[in-house]
PDB file of all heavy atoms in Angstrom:
ATOM      1  N   MET M   1     140.862 -36.535-141.615  1.00 34.00           N
ATOM      2  CA  MET M   1     139.506 -36.225-141.096  1.00 34.00           C
ATOM      3  C   MET M   1     138.615 -35.644-142.208  1.00 34.00           C
ATOM      4  O   MET M   1     139.134 -35.046-143.152  1.00 34.00           O
ATOM      5  CB  MET M   1     139.604 -35.117-140.017  1.00 34.00           C
ATOM      6  CG  MET M   1     140.240 -35.613-138.701  1.00 34.00           C
ATOM      7  SD  MET M   1     140.195 -34.264-137.534  1.00 34.00           S
ATOM      8  CE  MET M   1     141.465 -34.859-136.441  1.00 34.00           C
ATOM      9  N   LEU M  23     127.853 -42.207-136.359  1.00 98.00           N
ATOM     10  CA  LEU M  23     127.501 -40.955-135.622  1.00 98.00           C
ATOM     11  C   LEU M  23     128.230 -39.771-136.247  1.00 98.00           C
ATOM     12  O   LEU M  23     129.468 -39.803-136.401  1.00 98.00           O
ATOM     13  CB  LEU M  23     127.909 -41.055-134.157  1.00 98.00           C
ATOM     14  CG  LEU M  23     127.371 -42.290-133.363  1.00 98.00           C
ATOM     15  CD1 LEU M  23     128.101 -42.326-132.007  1.00 98.00           C
ATOM     16  CD2 LEU M  23     125.841 -42.168-133.212  1.00 98.00           C
ATOM     17  N   THR M  29     133.047 -37.849-138.150  1.00 98.00           N
ATOM     18  CA  THR M  29     132.193 -39.070-138.362  1.00 98.00           C
ATOM     19  C   THR M  29     132.790 -40.219-137.569  1.00 98.00           C
ATOM     20  O   THR M  29     133.978 -40.522-137.705  1.00 98.00           O
ATOM     21  CB  THR M  29     132.109 -39.423-139.846  1.00 98.00           C
ATOM     22  OG1 THR M  29     131.599 -38.326-140.556  1.00 98.00           O
ATOM     23  CG2 THR M  29     131.297 -40.618-140.109  1.00 98.00           C
ATOM     24  N   PRO M  34     132.367 -52.119-136.046  1.00 98.00           N
ATOM     25  CA  PRO M  34     132.052 -52.404-137.405  1.00 98.00           C
ATOM     26  C   PRO M  34     131.693 -53.857-137.626  1.00 98.00           C
ATOM     27  O   PRO M  34     132.473 -54.778-137.369  1.00 98.00           O
ATOM     28  CB  PRO M  34     133.294 -52.079-138.211  1.00 98.00           C
ATOM     29  CG  PRO M  34     134.105 -51.217-137.277  1.00 98.00           C
ATOM     30  CD  PRO M  34     133.784 -51.706-135.856  1.00 98.00           C
ATOM     31  N   GLY M  40     125.707 -65.627-141.343  1.00 96.00           N
ATOM     32  CA  GLY M  40     126.566 -66.783-141.308  1.00 96.00           C
ATOM     33  C   GLY M  40     126.911 -67.185-139.886  1.00 96.00           C
ATOM     34  O   GLY M  40     126.426 -66.616-138.879  1.00 96.00           O
ATOM     35  N   LEU M  68     135.017 -46.437-132.891  1.00 98.00           N
ATOM     36  CA  LEU M  68     134.871 -46.735-131.489  1.00 98.00           C
ATOM     37  C   LEU M  68     134.591 -48.214-131.349  1.00 98.00           C
ATOM     38  O   LEU M  68     133.485 -48.669-131.555  1.00 98.00           O
ATOM     39  CB  LEU M  68     133.794 -45.895-130.827  1.00 98.00           C
ATOM     40  CG  LEU M  68     133.901 -44.348-130.995  1.00 98.00           C
ATOM     41  CD1 LEU M  68     132.645 -43.686-130.434  1.00 98.00           C
ATOM     42  CD2 LEU M  68     135.194 -43.821-130.352  1.00 98.00           C
ATOM     43  N   TRP M 111     138.946 -44.111-118.181  1.00 98.00           N
ATOM     44  CA  TRP M 111     139.086 -42.684-117.817  1.00 98.00           C
ATOM     45  C   TRP M 111     140.129 -42.024-118.581  1.00 98.00           C
ATOM     46  O   TRP M 111     140.418 -40.832-118.415  1.00 98.00           O
ATOM     47  CB  TRP M 111     139.207 -42.473-116.330  1.00 98.00           C
ATOM     48  CG  TRP M 111     138.240 -43.258-115.523  1.00 98.00           C
ATOM     49  CD1 TRP M 111     138.548 -44.173-114.597  1.00 98.00           C
ATOM     50  CD2 TRP M 111     136.821 -43.139-115.587  1.00 98.00           C
ATOM     51  NE1 TRP M 111     137.340 -44.679-114.059  1.00 98.00           N
ATOM     52  CE2 TRP M 111     136.311 -44.071-114.607  1.00 98.00           C
ATOM     53  CE3 TRP M 111     135.900 -42.375-116.313  1.00 98.00           C
ATOM     54  CZ2 TRP M 111     134.930 -44.217-114.441  1.00 98.00           C
ATOM     55  CZ3 TRP M 111     134.576 -42.579-116.147  1.00 98.00           C
ATOM     56  CH2 TRP M 111     134.080 -43.450-115.202  1.00 98.00           C
ATOM     57  N   ALA M 185     121.961 -60.250-124.405  1.00 82.00           N
ATOM     58  CA  ALA M 185     122.799 -61.291-125.076  1.00 82.00           C
ATOM     59  C   ALA M 185     123.135 -62.403-124.020  1.00 82.00           C
ATOM     60  O   ALA M 185     123.549 -62.157-122.914  1.00 82.00           O
ATOM     61  CB  ALA M 185     124.068 -60.721-125.530  1.00 82.00           C
ATOM     62  N   ASN M 186     122.836 -63.652-124.480  1.00 83.00           N
ATOM     63  CA  ASN M 186     123.116 -64.752-123.573  1.00 83.00           C
ATOM     64  C   ASN M 186     123.455 -66.060-124.395  1.00 83.00           C
ATOM     65  O   ASN M 186     122.623 -66.508-125.173  1.00 83.00           O
ATOM     66  CB  ASN M 186     121.861 -65.014-122.702  1.00 83.00           C
ATOM     67  CG  ASN M 186     122.136 -65.854-121.491  1.00 83.00           C
ATOM     68  OD1 ASN M 186     122.808 -66.878-121.575  1.00 83.00           O
ATOM     69  ND2 ASN M 186     121.592 -65.459-120.340  1.00 83.00           N
ATOM     70  N   ALA M 212     118.628 -38.313-120.056  1.00 98.00           N
ATOM     71  CA  ALA M 212     119.309 -38.566-121.290  1.00 98.00           C
ATOM     72  C   ALA M 212     118.408 -39.319-122.286  1.00 98.00           C
ATOM     73  O   ALA M 212     117.650 -40.218-121.880  1.00 98.00           O
ATOM     74  CB  ALA M 212     120.549 -39.451-120.984  1.00 98.00           C
ATOM     75  N   LEU M 229     113.381 -55.949-129.098  1.00 95.00           N
ATOM     76  CA  LEU M 229     113.269 -54.516-128.867  1.00 95.00           C
ATOM     77  C   LEU M 229     111.861 -54.140-128.469  1.00 95.00           C
ATOM     78  O   LEU M 229     111.675 -53.110-127.832  1.00 95.00           O
ATOM     79  CB  LEU M 229     113.668 -53.811-130.151  1.00 95.00           C
ATOM     80  CG  LEU M 229     115.188 -53.845-130.488  1.00 95.00           C
ATOM     81  CD1 LEU M 229     115.437 -53.238-131.884  1.00 95.00           C
ATOM     82  CD2 LEU M 229     116.041 -53.139-129.407  1.00 95.00           C
ATOM     83  N   PHE M 236     109.987 -49.846-121.001  1.00 98.00           N
ATOM     84  CA  PHE M 236     110.131 -48.354-120.871  1.00 98.00           C
ATOM     85  C   PHE M 236     108.785 -47.710-120.729  1.00 98.00           C
ATOM     86  O   PHE M 236     108.612 -46.775-119.931  1.00 98.00           O
ATOM     87  CB  PHE M 236     110.923 -47.775-122.032  1.00 98.00           C
ATOM     88  CG  PHE M 236     112.378 -47.745-121.796  1.00 98.00           C
ATOM     89  CD1 PHE M 236     113.172 -48.832-121.887  1.00 98.00           C
ATOM     90  CD2 PHE M 236     113.000 -46.480-121.567  1.00 98.00           C
ATOM     91  CE1 PHE M 236     114.562 -48.758-121.688  1.00 98.00           C
ATOM     92  CE2 PHE M 236     114.378 -46.384-121.349  1.00 98.00           C
ATOM     93  CZ  PHE M 236     115.121 -47.573-121.392  1.00 98.00           C
ATOM     94  N   GLY M 240     107.102 -45.582-117.358  1.00 97.00           N
ATOM     95  CA  GLY M 240     106.845 -44.179-117.590  1.00 97.00           C
ATOM     96  C   GLY M 240     108.003 -43.418-118.281  1.00 97.00           C
ATOM     97  O   GLY M 240     108.075 -42.221-118.194  1.00 97.00           O
TER      98      GLY M 240
END
Side-chain angles (χ1 to χ4, degrees):
M1 291 183 200
L23 305 172
T29 300
L68 304 175
W111 312 119
N186 197 316
L229 290 173
F236 268 76

